[in-house]
Amino acid sequence: MCVDSSAAMLDLAEKLLKGGSESGEPYVPGVFFRQFLPVSPKVQFNVVVSAFSLSELPSKADRTEVVQTLWRKTSDFLILVENGTKAGHRLLMEARDLVLKGKEKSPLDSQPGFVFAPCPHELPCPHLTASKPLACSFSQAYHPIPFNWNKQPKEEKFSMVILARGCPEEANRWPRITQPVLKRPRHVHCHLCCPDGHMQHAVITARRHGRYRSCDQNEWEVSETCSPR
């Protein structure tokens, strides 16, 4: 179910799903478009995704209302995605804290939440508490809509947080890779966000850690002892 307050955007999305045709069959069956979420609190989904939407809202009060509504609509996972900038990252941490602190408590929403990814903890984000705050972001290559002037693959930075219902003990609390891995002869440099809420710079070598496989930021995690996977 795809929800957008703009009817024009919904029409465009549906047309793209049909390969640009007004009446063709959609490439993916079973996709529905709505301007509003179902009102009934009993209607929930396993996965709810909000992509690049919080930054479009005019105020913190509006963001709070939207995050609360989206959290109540999921029975398992809430995925929030924003631009990979400091501003985008701050919006995600604001939403993360809202859910974790349980400000949306209601009789119909008794299950607690925890951070499933990419953070390995529920502590304050070390990127934001550093002397020089940074955005926790990832890079993703993609193919844009193939207009004549826009055919080359591009790369976009994004920030995200995945919140899940349940207890933190259910999550895998290994350190997470937060920056592109620097590959050097006979060793690699990994910048990690660790379960204790601190950042760590780990240098992985064959001499100290044995044989290792070069890892990538989008794999997100390394072993609990910061040894190679």
Side-chain angles (χ1 to χ4, degrees):
M1 180 177 293
C2 301
V3 181
D4 196 297
S5 59
S6 169
M9 288 301 296
L10 291 177
D11 290 341
L12 175 60
E14 188 170 9
K15 188 173 181 179
L16 289 172
L17 195 61
K18 294 179 179 179
S21 170
E22 294 284 354
S23 57
E25 290 295 321
Y27 291 127
V28 182
V31 179
F32 304 94
F33 297 87
R34 295 178 56 127
Q35 276 190 277
F36 306 99
L37 281 167
V39 176
S40 172
K42 296 181 180 180
V43 178
Q44 286 188 314
F45 305 88
N46 296 105
V47 179
V48 174
V49 181
S50 172
F52 307 101
S53 299
L54 297 180
S55 56
E56 298 288 336
L57 300 175
S59 69
K60 183 176 181 179
D62 291 308
R63 294 193 297 272
T64 297
E65 182 180 356
V66 166
V67 171
Q68 289 174 344
T69 300
L70 295 176
W71 179 242
R72 286 194 291 266
K73 285 299 177 186
T74 181
S75 59
D76 292 302
F77 296 98
L78 171 61
I79 303 174
L80 303 175
V81 183
E82 287 296 333
N83 291 307
T85 60
K86 293 180 184 178
H89 179 52
R90 287 185 182 278
L91 290 179
L92 294 181
M93 294 301 97
E94 176 187 281
R96 170 186 182 266
D97 291 342
L98 176 66
V99 171
L100 295 180
K101 291 177 181 178
K103 293 182 179 179
E104 74 300 321
K105 286 185 180 296
S106 74
L108 297 173
D109 189 21
S110 57
Q111 282 187 290
F114 67 92
V115 181
F116 183 80
C119 318
H121 56 77
E122 278 74 41
L123 299 168
C125 176
H127 279 283
L128 296 183
T129 57
S131 57
K132 294 183 179 180
L134 298 172
C136 182
S137 62
F138 305 88
S139 294
Q140 178 62 52
Y142 70 97
H143 293 279
I145 298 175
F147 297 117
N148 291 333
W149 45 269
N150 197 34
K151 290 184 177 181
Q152 297 299 317
K154 295 186 176 182
E155 191 170 281
E156 188 75 25
K157 280 191 174 183
F158 69 94
S159 293
M160 73 166 187
V161 63
I162 303 178
L163 301 163
R165 290 193 179 277
C167 299
E169 291 74 18
E170 301 173 18
N172 189 336
R173 295 308 198 183
W174 288 3
R176 304 285 177 156
I177 298 174
T178 60
Q179 297 181 28
V181 175
L182 298 177
K183 302 173 184 178
R184 298 289 184 265
R186 300 181 182 179
H187 68 277
V188 295
H189 293 259
C190 295
H191 293 271
L192 308 172
C193 183
C194 297
D196 61 3
H198 292 90
M199 300 298 297
Q200 180 178 343
H201 176 198
V203 180
I204 310 298
T205 68
R207 182 177 180 180
R208 292 177 57 193
H209 303 94
R211 186 177 179 182
Y212 65 88
R213 177 173 64 87
S214 181
C215 47
D216 183 83
Q217 182 191 11
N218 290 331
E219 294 183 59
W220 290 343
E221 61 189 41
V222 297
S223 73
E224 192 170 1
T225 59
C226 298
S227 62
R229 295 202 299 158

